[in-house]
């Protein structure tokens, strides 16, 4: 298979009905299901694997969708080795159940047989605006729509999904899967407004005048971080945000260079490295300041990068980017031992060392921010900000976690927003009753 085609094709094959049953049959059906306790979004693997074992695929799909509207996406991008599969009791015997692949099998079957687990309900409650369309916002929008709220998602880009659409490599998460689950949420009655940046194209106050009673702020962290070293301004130096956002929407039709160096050690760095390799780079090297054991990247993503021939220079931090005629030609690395040095030929250097939030004061002038310019809110408790009608969660609060953590935070926001608007509704109803009683007494 051509490498370009590999870029566009899922690297991990789906289970067949036979292999899915065989894998589900390995499950010990633990009474306390530690795998389920380890899922941040409460997708409940213990229950849906039990359904698979009894060939009840619809029941399995119900368990997944009712707990995680982005079940097909999470099936592909979750760090299972650090969550449910790490907790799997089977680990102590031989190897954990492949929970992610089983979840993917169920959501693929759901699509293949046209099952529609979640049904739209009549929107009779208040209008709620979700700002941003990443996983936290999508999960919150779906949950609020299912409770009867009129939900609109405001997205500044052309498509929904945030980093799901503009970041994660197609061989790990095909765009078709993102589009299908966004459509799933649209079918629940959620409206999307694209190319509309709240704070620039429309303000919170203008939206309040249009009747929006609550806001969920989940704009993520979209500004890339770099390191202030010599040569960062050379032609050929870029960031993971810009590199991946150019590659995926263009189906890989971009210039990647021949000798690529990626700086970082997380999943985003792996996405950059595999993207560059699959799109034609002859040599790709990941420069990481710690050891392989300390690398935060998902093990499977690391293995995939290694299988493609990506090189790794551990315990080196970037020193200087060297250039000629304004273009990058090499990068030096300095060993964390204080003695080692390395120089790598490069015509492309990609910084994949994290992102930071946009200027949130442009969206909400009075929102409380911490020293990292992130919104102050407890996304595990209630997602409340210092402004009663504004809630926040996801990367804009935690600085950057996984998709499944974003889904979990979005679900917390649903309950908190519902509680807030219900209390407002009850107060208004009580005031009307009191007013009516006073009117009757006259």
């Amino acid at each position: 298979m051509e490498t370009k085609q590999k870029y566009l094709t899922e690297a991990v094959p789906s289970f067949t009905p036979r292999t899915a049953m065989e894998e589900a049959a390995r499950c010990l059906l633990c009474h306390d299901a530690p795998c389920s306790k380890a899922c941040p979004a409460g997708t409940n693997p213990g229950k849906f694997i039990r359904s698979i074992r009894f060939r009840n695929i619809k029941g399995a799909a119900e368990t997944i969708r009712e707990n995680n509207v982005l079940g097909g996406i999470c099936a592909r991008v979750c760090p299972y080795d650090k969550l449910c599969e790490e907790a799997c009791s089977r680990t102590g015997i031989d190897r954990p159940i492949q929970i992610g692949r089983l979840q993917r099998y169920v959501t693929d079957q759901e699509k293949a047989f046209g099952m529609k687990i979640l049904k739209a309900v009549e929107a009779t409650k208040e209008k709620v605006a979700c700002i941003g369309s990443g996983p936290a916002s999508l999960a919150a929008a779906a949950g609020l729509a299912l409770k009867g709220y009129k939900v609109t998602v405001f997205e500044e880009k052309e498509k929904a999904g945030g980093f799901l659409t503009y970041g994660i490599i197609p061989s790990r998460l095909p765009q078709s899967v993102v589009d299908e689950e966004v459509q799933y949420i649209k079918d629940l009655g959620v409206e999307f407004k694209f190319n509309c940046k709240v704070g620039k194209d429309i303000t919170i106050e203008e939206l309040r005048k249009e009747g929006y009673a609550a806001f969920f702020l989940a704009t993520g962290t979209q500004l890339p971080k770099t390191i202030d070293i010599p040569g960062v301004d050379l032609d050929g130096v870029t960031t993971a945000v810009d590199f991946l956002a150019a590659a995926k929407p263009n189906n890989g039709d971009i210039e990647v260079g021949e000798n690529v160096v990626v700086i970082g050690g997380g999943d985003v760095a792996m996405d950059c490295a595999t993207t560059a390799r699959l799109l034609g780079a002859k040599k790709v090297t990941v420069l990481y300041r710690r050891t392989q054991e300390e690398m935060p990247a998902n093990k499977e993503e690391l293995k995939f990068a290694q299988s493609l021939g990506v090189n790794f220079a551990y315990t080196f931090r970037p020193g200087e980017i060297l250039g000629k005629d304004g273009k990058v030609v090499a990068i030096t690395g300095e060993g964390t031992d204080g003695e080692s040095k390395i120089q790598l030929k490069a015509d492309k250097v990609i910084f994949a060392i994290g992102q930071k939030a946009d200027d949130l004061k442009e969206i909400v002038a009075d929102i409380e921010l911490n020293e990292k310019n992130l919104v102050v809110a407890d996304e595990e408790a209630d997602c409340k900000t210092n402004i009663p009608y504004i809630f926040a969660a996801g990367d804009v609060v935690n600085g950057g976690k996984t998709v499944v953590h974003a889904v979990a935070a979005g679900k917390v926001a649903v309950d908190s927003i519902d509680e807030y608007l219900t209390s407002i509704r009850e107060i208004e109803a009580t005031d009307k009753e009191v007013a009516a009683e006073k009117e009757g007494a006259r």
Side-chain angles (χ1 to χ4, degrees):
M1 185 186 292
E2 295 292 330
T3 54
K4 171 75 175 298
Q5 191 58 38
K6 283 186 177 179
Y7 170 78
L8 296 170
T9 304
E10 279 198 90
V12 179
S14 180
F15 275 136
T16 65
R18 181 181 63 80
T19 55
M21 293 304 165
E22 288 175 352
E23 187 65 12
R26 294 180 57 242
C27 179
L28 300 175
L29 302 178
C30 306
H31 179 68
D32 57 346
C35 57
S36 294
K37 294 177 181 176
C39 176
T43 309
N44 202 347
K47 186 176 180 182
F48 77 69
I49 292 174
R50 183 183 293 270
S51 294
I52 296 171
R53 282 189 62 157
F54 289 98
R55 301 180 185 275
N56 180 7
I57 302 303
K58 184 172 185 294
E62 287 173 348
T63 298
I64 293 169
R65 286 293 176 196
E66 288 170 359
N67 290 301
N68 184 351
V69 71
L70 301 183
I73 292 173
C74 284
R76 291 163 169 84
V77 302
C78 258
Y80 292 101
D81 58 320
K82 298 174 183 173
L83 297 171
C84 56
E85 291 184 5
E86 184 179 55
C88 176
S89 299
R90 188 88 203 190
T91 304
I93 301 174
D94 45 16
R95 65 184 191 281
I97 304 298
Q98 296 183 67
I99 296 171
R101 289 185 72 187
L102 285 175
Q103 182 171 320
R104 175 182 162 188
Y105 169 75
V106 172
T107 54
D108 285 351
Q109 292 294 299
E110 178 191 10
K111 177 192 171 190
F113 288 96
M115 288 184 259
K116 205 69 176 179
I117 304 301
L118 303 178
K119 308 288 186 185
V121 302
E122 185 179 1
T124 58
K125 298 179 180 176
E126 294 85 349
K127 294 169 71 174
V128 178
C130 293
I131 305 171
S133 68
S137 193
L138 293 175
L144 288 164
L146 289 169
K147 286 182 178 290
Y149 290 96
K150 301 166 188 168
V151 185
T152 304
V153 175
F154 292 86
E155 168 56 52
E156 66 175 284
K157 292 191 170 75
E158 294 181 354
K159 297 192 70 172
F163 205 68
L164 304 174
T165 292
Y166 293 97
I168 300 176
I169 184 171
S171 63
R172 192 154 69 100
L173 178 62
Q175 186 58 37
S176 59
V177 176
V178 181
D179 292 342
E180 286 160 9
E181 303 214 330
V182 169
Q183 185 60 49
Y184 205 122
I185 293 166
K186 288 181 179 177
D187 291 343
L188 296 177
V190 174
E191 182 183 0
F192 285 75
K193 291 192 176 181
F194 297 111
N195 300 308
C196 182
K197 185 173 183 177
V198 175
K200 178 183 177 184
D201 300 309
I202 194 167
T203 67
I204 292 284
E205 289 309 312
E206 287 172 332
L207 289 172
R208 292 192 74 192
K209 289 176 183 176
E210 290 183 12
Y212 287 91
F215 298 82
F216 180 54
L217 185 60
T219 50
T221 52
Q222 302 184 49
L223 297 180
K225 292 181 181 177
T226 58
I227 302 173
D228 187 19
I229 58 174
V232 292
D233 296 328
L234 289 168
D235 185 15
V237 179
T238 187
T239 65
V241 171
D242 294 332
F243 180 71
L244 296 174
K248 192 168 183 179
N250 289 296
N251 292 323
D253 291 330
I254 62 168
E255 182 62 41
V256 297
E258 292 191 352
N259 295 284
V260 178
V261 175
V262 179
I263 301 169
D267 287 342
V268 175
M270 296 306 106
D271 280 342
C272 290
T274 53
T275 294
R277 187 77 178 113
L278 290 173
L279 295 183
K282 291 182 179 176
K283 185 174 182 180
V284 179
T285 304
V286 173
L287 199 66
Y288 181 55
R289 60 186 172 135
R290 296 195 175 97
T291 65
Q292 179 176 335
E293 291 71 27
E294 296 173 292
M295 184 175 265
N298 180 287
K299 290 179 182 176
E300 293 303 316
E301 300 312 311
L302 177 60
K303 286 181 185 176
F304 182 53
Q306 291 171 330
S307 73
L308 295 175
V310 172
N311 303 294
F312 290 83
Y314 296 107
T315 67
F316 281 95
R317 60 170 66 92
E320 179 181 3
I321 302 173
L322 307 175
K324 183 179 180 181
D325 299 329
K327 297 182 179 179
V328 59
V329 295
I331 180 172
T332 66
E334 298 173 352
T336 54
D337 60 3
E339 298 179 358
S340 304
K341 293 186 181 300
I342 189 173
Q343 179 168 321
L344 300 167
K345 184 179 180 182
D347 50 14
K348 177 82 73 181
V349 173
I350 305 170
F351 282 92
I353 56 173
Q355 293 91 244
K356 55 187 177 182
D358 211 340
D359 185 1
L360 298 166
K361 293 289 186 180
E362 288 185 355
I363 302 175
V364 193
D366 298 328
I367 196 86
E368 183 181 0
L369 305 177
N370 63 21
E371 67 281 359
K372 296 181 179 178
N373 200 37
L374 300 172
V375 178
V376 176
D378 187 344
E379 63 178 15
E380 294 183 2
D382 52 26
C383 300
K384 292 179 179 177
T385 71
N386 60 311
I387 301 172
Y389 54 85
I390 296 180
F391 301 77
D395 290 358
V396 77
V397 169
N398 59 49
K401 285 189 176 179
T402 64
V403 173
V404 72
H405 283 98
V407 170
K411 292 172 65 175
V412 172
V414 170
D415 291 338
S416 190
I417 292 171
D418 182 44
E419 181 182 19
Y420 166 73
L421 292 176
T422 299
S423 67
I424 297 291
R425 207 178 303 130
E426 290 174 348
I427 290 171
E428 290 176 349
T430 302
D431 289 345
K432 286 181 181 178
E433 288 178 6
V434 172
E437 289 176 1
K438 288 182 177 178
E439 187 66 27
R442 289 178 182 173

